[in-house]
Amino acid sequence: MRLPGRIDAAIAVLTDVEERHRPVAEALKDWGLSHRFAGSGDRAAIGDLVYDALRRRSSIAWRMGEETPRALALGAVVFHWAEPVESLNQLFSEDRHAPEKLTESELERLQAASEENMPEAVRADVPDFAAKELERVFGTAWVEEAMALGGRPPLDLRVNVLKAERDKVEAQLARFDVEKTRLSPVGLRVPPREGARRHPNVQADEAYQRGRIEIQDEASQLAALLAASGVDDSGGQILDFCAGGGGKTLALSAALANRGQIYAHDADRHRLAPIFERLKRAGARNVQVRQPGEGALDDLDGRMDVVLVDAPCSGSGTWRRRPDAKWRIREDALQLRADEQEKILHAASRFVRPGGLLVYVTCSLFPAENGERVAAFTEAQPEFQALDLAPAWDKVTAADKPRWATPAGLVLTPASTATDGFFVAAMARQP
């Protein structure tokens, strides 16, 4: 497929997403199944165009004067892929798979539209209520931080030090243009691609198949390393209370060099299901999986050195990876999430031993899910006190503390740390 056909396909996918209110990943999968003539490169380029249109939906619509799927796709390819407007109509006329030729109005918008006088919330490409939440966290820097959430993400890999060394894996994956992550001592990064260039399929590589690497954003790696720093050299006892598919469990196992004991638990057994194969591939031997069920964790009461709570959240810190979620979220959903997070924190806290740590993590940037939850929890359970993570950060990264670090927690962002948006806090249980 050539560019005109890819644009037409992107318009069709965006229309499907809008009309059927469904996730982009599902719409792209269905399009691919019904258009089997499209190669993997075509499908990747169409996906990139759809995601770029959604990452910058608000600003593209403002410049185009309308928010239709066609306007979003055309705006993305011109404003963000730098395709010359003058060549589009010629390309459209030469390709039977192309959308209709540009109208005079579209030509004018694409040629003349600028960001001058664009409202801040539009330039930030976030919903209005999210703009208010982000301003509460970042003050006058909120637009800069929000715009970074609209960029393309890198592909981050965590080197599994149970099986490999970072330098050797970097050499093995040199053809992918990998580079060492700046903060995580076990990370490698494939930088964001431009235009229709896609990330490599590292899961097909020997390094992945043999368990030497895992796909994991640098912020998630750091969260696990910070949690692991709360135990001594013997490894200690760690409960990953919301383990999901096991990404942080695997990182904890490697950080502890298979010492100590990690318990992986999740309330949803379906989310937990992939962990068994992943543990086997990674060579993680210090992990015990605890399936959900009555009394499944009773024997761990008050015994854990560290309890890690990677709480369900809005996912606002990962909007550059899931831009469709940015436009589906509603303000009232934040309160529902906050209530759920509060219940999870209280449920997890009983497993922390006196002198142990409760580590709270979200991939959100909203204070209602982050600092406010920590403050509410420590007020309700005064035996827990917020711990300054600066010493642990220095130990893990040997880097200056993040721009948005406070004694109550660390906020990582695409703009300030070049990671996904994450919040990490630690609360110590008094002896």
Side-chain angles (χ1 to χ4, degrees):
M1 296 177 67
R2 295 191 299 166
L3 179 62
R6 291 173 172 178
I7 295 173
D8 192 61
I11 294 171
V13 172
L14 287 165
T15 301
D16 186 23
V17 169
E18 179 182 285
E19 293 180 351
R20 298 174 64 184
H21 306 286
R22 60 199 309 232
V24 167
E26 290 182 11
L28 285 167
K29 181 180 179 181
D30 283 357
W31 187 93
L33 290 173
S34 60
H35 297 79
R36 294 185 180 275
F37 63 84
S40 60
D42 293 320
R43 294 194 300 273
I46 293 162
D48 284 339
L49 184 51
V50 168
Y51 278 110
D52 284 344
L54 291 172
R55 289 184 182 110
R56 301 297 190 187
R57 190 181 88 171
S58 186
S59 58
I60 291 174
W62 190 87
R63 295 172 74 172
M64 292 295 292
E66 57 182 342
E67 200 172 341
T68 63
R70 176 180 169 94
L72 295 179
L74 291 173
V77 83
V78 171
F79 302 145
H80 301 290
W81 287 27
E83 187 67 29
V85 180
E86 297 76 12
S87 67
L88 281 183
N89 263 347
Q90 181 64 33
L91 290 173
F92 285 6
S93 65
E94 296 171 351
D95 193 324
R96 63 188 181 90
H97 298 295
E100 294 182 6
K101 293 184 69 173
L102 299 176
T103 65
E104 289 298 322
S105 174
E106 287 172 337
L107 278 169
E108 181 180 347
R109 287 283 183 173
L110 291 168
Q111 290 172 328
S114 73
E115 296 186 0
E116 187 178 356
N117 299 320
M118 184 181 288
E120 284 189 325
V122 174
R123 187 155 51 92
D125 276 298
V126 296
D128 289 341
F129 85 88
K132 297 175 185 176
E133 289 293 312
L134 294 173
E135 188 171 11
R136 289 175 60 199
V137 184
F138 304 119
T140 57
W142 79 269
V143 174
E144 168 197 351
E145 292 287 347
M147 289 180 68
L149 288 169
R152 283 194 182 181
L155 174 64
D156 285 353
L157 310 172
R158 178 181 58 80
V159 175
N160 177 16
V161 295
L162 296 175
K163 288 192 169 186
E165 298 175 2
R166 182 162 70 157
D167 286 345
K168 290 184 179 180
V169 176
E170 182 184 19
Q172 182 182 353
L173 300 180
R175 67 190 185 282
F176 296 147
D177 299 324
V178 297
E179 56 191 37
K180 289 184 175 71
T181 47
R182 182 171 64 89
L183 299 171
S184 169
V186 293
L188 294 173
R189 168 167 292 181
V190 182
R193 304 304 208 205
E194 295 181 358
R197 293 183 63 207
R198 57 177 175 158
H199 279 307
N201 179 16
V202 297
Q203 289 176 300
D205 192 85
E206 179 189 8
Y208 182 89
Q209 295 293 323
R210 293 187 179 276
R212 297 170 191 155
I213 57 171
E214 290 285 342
I215 298 173
Q216 186 176 29
D217 183 77
E218 186 178 12
S220 182
Q221 296 177 36
L222 292 168
L225 291 168
L226 289 167
S229 72
V231 300
D232 58 30
D233 291 339
S234 67
Q237 304 276 306
I238 298 180
L239 170 60
D240 188 354
F241 192 69
C242 303
K248 291 184 182 63
T249 300
L250 293 172
L252 289 167
S253 176
L256 270 57
N258 263 334
R259 295 188 298 267
Q261 185 70 62
I262 300 167
Y263 300 91
H265 168 80
D266 198 276
D268 185 342
R269 66 178 62 249
H270 297 293
R271 292 187 69 231
L272 198 58
I275 197 172
F276 298 99
E277 180 58 33
R278 297 181 75 184
L279 290 171
K280 181 180 178 181
R281 182 166 51 82
R285 300 189 302 274
N286 61 340
V287 177
Q288 186 180 130
V289 179
R290 294 290 183 93
Q291 297 277 7
E294 186 176 352
L297 300 175
D298 284 353
D299 61 317
L300 306 184
D301 268 14
R303 289 179 45 203
M304 298 295 100
D305 298 298
V306 175
V307 175
L308 173 61
V309 176
D310 183 3
C313 67
S314 65
S316 55
T318 62
W319 277 348
R320 58 183 185 166
R321 299 186 189 277
R322 302 177 183 88
D324 52 324
K326 172 167 59 175
W327 306 110
R328 290 199 308 267
I329 191 171
R330 295 293 178 263
E331 187 171 7
D332 56 4
L334 283 186
Q335 186 58 54
L336 295 175
R337 280 300 191 194
D339 292 344
E340 182 180 12
Q341 290 151 2
E342 188 167 318
K343 291 176 182 177
I344 290 173
L345 269 174
H346 284 283
S349 65
R350 71 184 177 100
F351 302 106
V352 183
R353 67 165 175 81
L357 295 180
L358 178 61
V359 179
Y360 177 65
V361 175
T362 74
C363 55
S364 171
L365 296 177
F366 296 150
E369 300 183 283
N370 296 338
E372 291 178 10
R373 295 281 58 75
V374 172
F377 175 79
T378 53
E379 182 178 355
Q381 295 195 204
E383 69 271 28
F384 285 88
Q385 295 183 1
L387 185 71
D388 188 350
L389 279 171
W393 175 267
D394 182 66
K395 176 182 176 182
V396 167
T397 69
D400 293 339
K401 65 181 181 180
R403 178 182 183 182
W404 306 111
T406 72
L410 306 176
V411 179
L412 312 181
T413 70
S416 65
T417 53
T419 67
D420 280 354
F422 255 65
F423 175 79
V424 186
M427 292 156 279
R429 185 171 191 171
Q430 301 310 298

